[in-house]
Amino acid sequence: VKQAGFNVLACMELDKNACDTLRHAVEAEHAKTIVYEGDIKQFEPLDVLKACGKRPGEIDLLFGGPPCQAFSLCGKQKSLDDERGMLLFQMIRYAKAIRPRAVLMEQVKGLLAAKDAKGRRGGVIEKLLKEFSTLGYVTKYKVCLAADYGAAQMRERVILVATRDKNGFQFPPPTHRAPDADNFFLSDLPPYVTVGDVLKGLT
């Protein structure tokens, strides 16, 4: 998010070690980011907003990656029966209070098939979209492969973007392509970035 040009006003994390890492990064960059250590449910969105010197409607972006264990295909997939799965809707709680211009959220692909309280597959994402719509947001989501956008990772994630702009958000086209992809030699896109590319020159 910082590389995209955003000034991060505040961030929240439950894990102490992760918070220590965040604080170290904030100090190294001489930033004024507030690091909240604790359960996100214990913080009041409007108090956080006030601490950042902002009012509702003045924030450009609310972003986050709620815990994925409740939806991951590698886990028990308890969905909303897992307390961590319910943290997904903290994004709704904060968006309702803060009223950012846009919301960005990242999740595992298992979210798309996650069952709601009635056992309906896909019910969780449907509920999430409905609640964003109730708040006046136009929401779009897509399964994106990190390597398609220049990261040295074959990682697929659901990227959800909600905006107050009625025209909505358009996902950008890929910037890279697999070397063995069809018509690769007819494409102007460079090949995927490899781990070797990233580590080259490091000592």
Side-chain angles (χ1 to χ4, degrees), residues 139-188:
T139 309
K140 295 184 179 180
Y141 64 90
K142 179 180 179 181
V143 176
C144 295
L145 176 63
D148 285 344
Y149 296 93
Q153 295 183 14
M154 297 299 289
R155 180 190 296 266
E156 286 186 309
R157 288 293 183 268
V158 174
I159 304 298
L160 182 149
V161 179
T163 63
R164 296 206 313 242
D165 181 357
K166 292 183 178 180
N167 293 323
F169 168 82
Q170 299 298 324
F171 283 91
T175 59
H176 292 68
R177 175 176 286 204
D180 58 352
D182 293 339
N183 301 320
F184 174 76
F185 293 105
L186 300 178
S187 172
D188 293 331

Side-chain angles (χ1 to χ4, degrees), residues 35-77:
V35 178
Y36 287 88
E37 180 177 343
D39 187 339
I40 190 172
K41 299 191 300 296
Q42 296 177 349
F43 302 112
E44 288 300 324
L46 291 180
D47 290 342
V48 175
L49 195 62
K50 184 177 180 181
C52 295
K54 298 291 183 180
R55 294 180 296 180
E58 293 182 344
I59 296 293
D60 289 321
L61 180 68
L62 169 67
F63 68 95
C68 66
Q69 294 94 330
F71 311 112
S72 175
L73 300 178
C74 297
K76 296 181 179 179
Q77 300 178 48

Side-chain angles (χ1 to χ4, degrees), residues 152 191-203:
Y192 284 166
V193 175
T194 68
V195 173
D197 295 331
V198 175
L199 299 180
K200 189 180 298 182
L202 294 181
T203 57

Side-chain angles (χ1 to χ4, degrees), residues 11-23:
C11 53
M12 294 185 178
E13 173 58 52
L14 181 64
D15 183 82
K16 180 185 182 302
N17 293 324
C19 285
D20 288 343
T21 299
L22 286 169
R23 293 189 187 99

